[in-house]
Amino acid sequence: MKSNEFINILAALPEQIEKAQDICSRVKVDLPEKINAVYIAGMGGSGVAGLLAKSILSENLKIPVELIRDYAAPFAMTKNSLLVAVSYSGNTEETLSVVAQAEKRRVPMVFISSGGKLAELAEAKKIDIFEIPKGYQPRAALGFLLIPLLYIFEKLKMAPGLKEDLAEAVIELKKLCGEIGPGVSPHQNEAHKLAAKICKTFPLIYSSAALYPAAYRFKCQLNENAKLLAHAGEMTESNHNEIEGLCALKRGAHNHSLLYLRSERDSERTKKQMEITKSLVGAQLGGVREIFPRGKSLLCQMLSLVYFLDMVSAYVAEVNGTDPAEIGTILKLKKELSR
Ligand code: F6R
C-alpha cells in the first residue's frame, strides 16, 4: 500500500464511522438478557477499540467491563458474562486463545472481525459476528472496530445517546479533516506543525484517566506509523511516580517532548495537578504542548483527539521519510509465531 493511500484512509475516519453505523444497523445480534460482566478481548489496533469504548461509556456502565490483552481468560469470566472478541484479521493468537477458553466455559460470545479463524468459528458455531470490510490495516480500521462495540453496549442499554454523540463526532471530524487533512498545506496544518516539532523527539504524552485511551492510541500510532518510541501516561497517577523521572531529565533535554491532552471535562483537581506539573517539569522539556479536543460529548472529544493525533503520527512518518503503512517487524514476528 502506498503511504499516501494509507494517510487518506486514516483521514477518512468520519466516513468510516458512517459506514460502520450502516453495517451495525443491518447485523442481528442476540445478546443474553442477564450478564454480570463484559469482557473485551483484543490486541493492538483491535484492542484499542475496547480501551476507547470502556472509557467513552464509563459513566453508563452498570456492570464491570474488563479488557483482556493476553492469552489467559480471567478466572471470573463465566457463562454469566459476555465475551466480545475483537480481531480485525480474526487470526490473532492471544484473542483466539481467550475465545477457546470461553467456549469451554460456555461463555456467551459475539465477534467483531473481517474474517479469519474468528469468522470461521462464528459460522461453524452460530456465534453472532459483526463482519467488517476486508483490506484495511487494523489500526486504520478504528471506525469499523469501535462502532460495533459501542452498538453492543447500546443493545445492553449502557450507551444512552449514542446516535446523537456519533452524529456530533462525525460533524466535528469532517470539519477537522478540512483543517488538518492531507489536502491542507503543511504551513496551515496544525497537525503537520506538531509533527514537525516532535518528529525527532521521544514524545511523553499525558492525559486525564478518562482521555488516556487517546493518549495510548497516539503512542501506538507513533510506534506503528512513524516507528517512533513514545510513552503514554495517566494523570494523576503519573504524579505519584513518573514526575520524579521527568524532573530528573536535564534542562534542555530536547530529545523528549511533553504533550498534554486536556479537556474542560477534566476535574478541577486534575486540572490543578496538570498546571503544577507544567510548572515543575515544563522548562526541562522545552515547554508543554497542549492539545484540546472538539465537541461536547466524551465520545466526540475522544474521537477528535484520536483523529487529530492519528494525522500527527502519519505526518511524523512523512517528515521522517518513513512509510506509515509498513509494519515489517510486526509481520515478521507473526510469521515466526505461526511456524
Ligand atoms: C496493525 C495493527 C496491530 C494489530 C494487532 C492485532 O495495523 O494495528 O496492532 O491490530 O497485531 O491484530 P488484529 O487486529 O488483526 O487482531
Side-chain angles (χ1 to χ4, degrees), residues 131-147:
E131 279 219 58
I132 55 179
K134 292 187 199 304
Y136 288 76
Q137 297 217 31
R139 63 190 184 287
L142 184 66
F144 291 130
L145 294 161
L146 175 65
I147 303 308

Side-chain angles (χ1 to χ4, degrees), residues 43-46 87-89 92 137-139 224 327 334:
M43 305 300 294
S46 293
S87 170
Y88 183 80
S89 63
T92 296
Q137 297 217 31
R139 63 190 184 287
E224 291 187 67
I327 42 163
K334 288 192 179 182

Side-chain angles (χ1 to χ4, degrees), residues 6 41-48 86-95 112-114 118 136-141 145 217 220-221 224-225 324-325 327 330-331 333-334:
F6 183 80
M43 305 300 294
S46 293
V48 88
V86 190
S87 170
Y88 183 80
S89 63
N91 290 325
T92 296
E93 62 174 53
E94 293 91 331
T95 310
I112 300 169
S113 182
S114 72
L118 225 43
Y136 288 76
Q137 297 217 31
R139 63 190 184 287
L145 294 161
R217 161 79 174 184
C220 296
Q221 292 291 68
E224 291 187 67
N225 298 339
I327 42 163
I330 295 177
L331 297 180
L333 175 121
K334 288 192 179 182

